[in-house]
Every structure is written in C-alpha cells, then in structure tokens.
Amino acid sequence: FLRHRECQSEEQYGIGLDSIVKIEFWWQFSPTNFESKLFLLKAENEASLLNVDKARSLYEASIKSASDNGRIHEKGLAYEFMGNFLSSVSNDPSGARECMKLAHSCY
C-alpha cells in the first residue's frame, strides 16, 4: 500500500488487496500469528484511501493485538507505520513523533 501511495499505482494497490486476502486465509488457521498483520494491512489500505479515523483505529488494533500476543517487533512496525501515516495527514507532528519513539522502544 505504501508503494501505491507513493506512485498512485493501481497495480501496487491490487497487490496490497491480494495480501489482505492471503493473510485472512492464514488467519483462520492461526489467529495469534496473523491477527496483528491483518490489522496492519487493513490499516494501510485505509491509509491509502485517506480514511484517517478508520486507519488510526486499525493501527491501534494492530498494536494491541501484537502486544497481547507477544509480537513486540510487529508492535514496533505498527507504531512506525502509524507514525508515518500521521506525519503525512496531520499538521501536529507530536502524535507521529510519539509513535516513532514507541516504535524505537520496540526494536
């Protein structure tokens, strides 16, 4: 989805959507392993569509899921992606900075 946002490529957007379908399939068999990834991909999709509130909610769900399931590196990724998104849509950089600090602490 990031590549889609950077170059407005419909092909890249399609690849992102295909990834969601694949992760949804694997999530059925191992929710603990795939839940935070699925939320993160869905957040990135909403970010690509500029649905700010929905994207933020899904980033937060990814962070919570990663934390609940002991996936500290995935928690860091979710914070990092959320921070990048917030910096692109907000005039107030404090939220993005806080996300990056939290991401750093996870790595």
Side-chain angles (χ1 to χ4, degrees):
F1 292 108
L2 178 61
R3 284 203 163 152
H4 164 71
R5 288 196 300 273
E6 290 174 342
C7 61
Q8 296 300 307
S9 165
E10 290 305 312
E11 179 183 358
Q12 294 299 320
Y13 186 72
I15 290 169
L17 292 177
D18 289 344
S19 297
I20 288 175
V21 171
K22 289 176 184 175
I23 296 295
E24 283 175 333
F25 173 79
W26 288 108
W27 173 80
Q28 297 173 63
F29 303 103
S30 185
T32 302
N33 288 332
F34 291 97
E35 184 177 67
S36 66
K37 294 171 185 70
L38 182 57
F39 283 136
L40 185 55
L41 282 171
K42 287 183 175 186
E44 285 290 290
N45 180 43
E46 295 299 332
S48 293
L49 300 173
L50 296 176
N51 295 330
V52 176
D53 292 334
K54 183 70 174 171
R56 183 190 304 262
S57 173
L58 286 163
Y59 284 122
E60 290 169 353
S62 179
I63 291 163
K64 182 178 181 333
S65 174
S67 183
D68 290 349
N69 292 303
R71 308 263 189 248
I72 192 75
H73 58 291
E74 291 178 15
K75 183 178 177 181
L77 279 175
Y79 273 125
E80 182 177 343
F81 280 52
M82 183 175 178
N84 286 333
F85 175 65
L86 291 176
S87 71
S88 72
V89 298
S90 176
N91 292 331
D92 179 13
S94 62
R97 264 196 311 268
E98 183 62 24
C99 285
M100 291 305 187
K101 286 179 189 175
L102 292 166
H104 184 264
S105 72
C106 292
Y107 299 137

